[in-house]
Amino acid sequence: MKILKYILLLILLILIAFTVYLSTQNGLFSVTKSKVINIEKSALFQYVNDYQNWESFCGLDEEELKISYPKSTIGVGGSFSWTGKDGEGSVKTIYLKENDSIAQKVNWNGESGDAYITFKDTIGGTKVTMNSSGELDFMGKLQSLFYGGFEKKLSTDFENKLASLDKVLRKEISTYSIDLNGIVEVLPQIYLKRKGESKVTDFYSVLQKSLPLLHNFVTENNIKTNNQKFVIFDTYDVAKNKTVFSIATPLKEIIYTTPESEFTVDSIPSHQALKIVLKGDYSHSKEAWDKGFDFLKKTI
């Protein structure tokens, strides 16, 4: 019995020593990984800036994780969260500089850290850099022992994300179709719109910000639409690099907005139009426009 007591006492002392040792270890971590991706910087930024896209390159298995999205997943305040067998977590954008950087607050099982993603033009494309830093608590230090250290695991995770982002976007941008449907009759239509303007080169970026604003206004005011969105261009001047446009949605019934509202109601009379359908990334829009102009030159 004495031998058994000594063994138990020895095990207890070892556990105490191990606990003291682990508690005194530096829990600070900082990991940075970069990859050059041969895709335009603005396209990369806009894709990463929307958390709805993160499932495609972050390895988030819907069968293992329950992913939740709030009303806003784009820009400052945009976020998403998840729960799974290994715990729960969330990511939220707290600051961004357009086409340059995104600052985030990351939470995982009660631990929080800071994360940054930057986008820089470089030879061969865009240099995308992921960085995360923070401090592990006791349980975080303990768990990190099982996968060879937290920084090692995070480094591998960043490398996988960047490689997957490269692969997914290359495929998405290269997969597209342009259908020239010819001249069609367009019926009269009442629509709700929000006007905006931008440089032609920044149009997609500004459009991405406008879409959730229109969606939220419709949702919050219980406005009945057909759930489609379209863009009306008042000006599209490539030479001056300027466009004035409205993001709009057709209404099922007429509504009225206040004079000071940024949302207004307008209508389109019946008319004929050339219908061109582009399915894919906006980077192919010039090809779609060129097909339309070629058709009109031969028709008119």
Side-chain angles (χ1 to χ4, degrees):
M1 290 295 293
K2 286 186 177 182
I3 295 177
L4 180 59
K5 288 181 180 180
Y6 287 138
I7 292 174
L8 292 174
L9 180 60
L10 181 60
I11 292 173
L12 180 61
L13 290 174
I14 292 173
L15 288 174
I16 293 173
F18 175 75
T19 301
V20 172
Y21 167 78
L22 197 61
S23 299
T24 57
Q25 294 303 298
N26 188 353
L28 296 175
F29 67 88
S30 180
V31 174
T32 301
K33 287 293 177 182
S34 300
K35 182 177 178 62
V36 176
I37 299 177
N38 189 20
I39 293 174
E40 184 183 353
K41 181 172 68 172
S42 60
L44 275 165
F45 177 88
Q46 295 304 328
Y47 192 81
V48 175
N49 189 35
D50 187 351
Y51 289 120
Q52 293 272 11
N53 297 323
W54 278 49
E55 287 183 53
S56 66
F57 68 90
C58 284
L60 300 175
D61 191 338
E62 292 185 357
E63 293 183 0
E64 296 185 4
L65 297 176
K66 181 181 179 182
I67 302 170
S68 301
Y69 296 102
K71 285 185 178 180
S72 176
T73 59
I74 301 173
V76 176
S79 66
F80 80 107
S81 59
W82 66 91
T83 57
K85 62 181 181 180
D86 294 326
E88 59 183 23
S90 65
V91 179
K92 183 175 183 178
T93 298
I94 56 175
Y95 171 82
L96 66 77
K97 183 178 179 181
E98 193 73 20
N99 296 329
D100 180 85
S101 56
I102 300 172
Q104 304 163 311
K105 180 64 69 173
V106 182
N107 290 285
W108 174 249
N109 287 338
E111 296 180 23
S112 65
D114 298 313
Y116 304 89
I117 307 174
T118 59
F119 307 82
K120 302 295 181 184
D121 287 320
T122 189
I123 297 174
T126 304
K127 183 179 180 181
V128 184
T129 301
M130 289 185 167
N131 170 272
S132 183
S133 59
E135 185 174 7
L136 298 173
D137 62 13
F138 178 81
M139 288 305 298
K141 295 176 188 177
L142 180 61
Q143 291 172 1
S144 71
L145 294 177
F146 294 100
Y147 36 72
F150 185 76
E151 289 190 341
K152 181 180 179 180
K153 181 180 184 299
L154 195 56
S155 293
T156 301
D157 183 49
F158 281 178
E159 289 173 353
N160 291 338
K161 280 185 173 66
L162 289 169
S164 182
L165 177 63
D166 186 4
K167 181 179 178 180
V168 167
L169 267 182
R170 281 176 182 270
K171 181 179 179 181
E172 181 166 313
I173 288 177
S174 62
T175 304
Y176 72 101
S177 65
I178 299 173
D179 296 323
L180 191 60
N181 299 138
I183 303 296
V184 298
E185 294 289 336
V186 180
L187 297 175
Q189 202 167 62
I190 301 171
Y191 59 89
L192 178 72
K193 69 177 183 179
R194 181 182 184 276
K195 202 164 187 175
E197 63 178 76
S198 72
K199 295 179 180 178
V200 171
T201 51
D202 294 336
F203 168 69
Y204 182 72
S205 170
V206 176
L207 178 64
Q208 287 291 91
K209 292 180 179 179
S210 299
L211 283 168
L213 295 176
L214 179 63
H215 172 78
N216 291 343
F217 183 80
V218 167
T219 303
E220 290 168 2
N221 292 281
N222 296 315
I223 299 172
K224 295 179 180 179
T225 74
N226 66 359
N227 296 320
Q228 295 180 346
K229 307 290 189 300
F230 63 94
V231 177
I232 299 173
F233 289 99
D234 297 322
T235 303
Y236 195 89
D237 193 328
V238 176
K240 295 182 179 179
N241 195 23
K242 180 181 179 180
T243 178
V244 179
F245 65 93
S246 294
I247 177 68
T249 182
L251 295 169
K252 289 186 175 181
E253 58 186 24
I254 192 167
I255 65 168
Y256 301 93
T257 59
T258 58
E260 65 272 12
S261 175
E262 60 183 330
F263 297 92
T264 57
V265 176
D266 208 337
S267 63
I268 303 175
S270 60
H271 63 282
Q272 289 186 325
L274 173 61
K275 184 177 181 180
I276 308 169
V277 180
L278 167 63
K279 296 179 180 179
D281 189 78
Y282 271 93
S283 60
H284 304 292
S285 58
K286 184 179 184 302
E287 184 179 344
W289 280 104
D290 289 344
K291 280 193 174 184
F293 288 133
D294 289 340
F295 176 85
L296 291 174
K297 287 176 183 177
K298 294 175 183 177
T299 305
I300 297 175

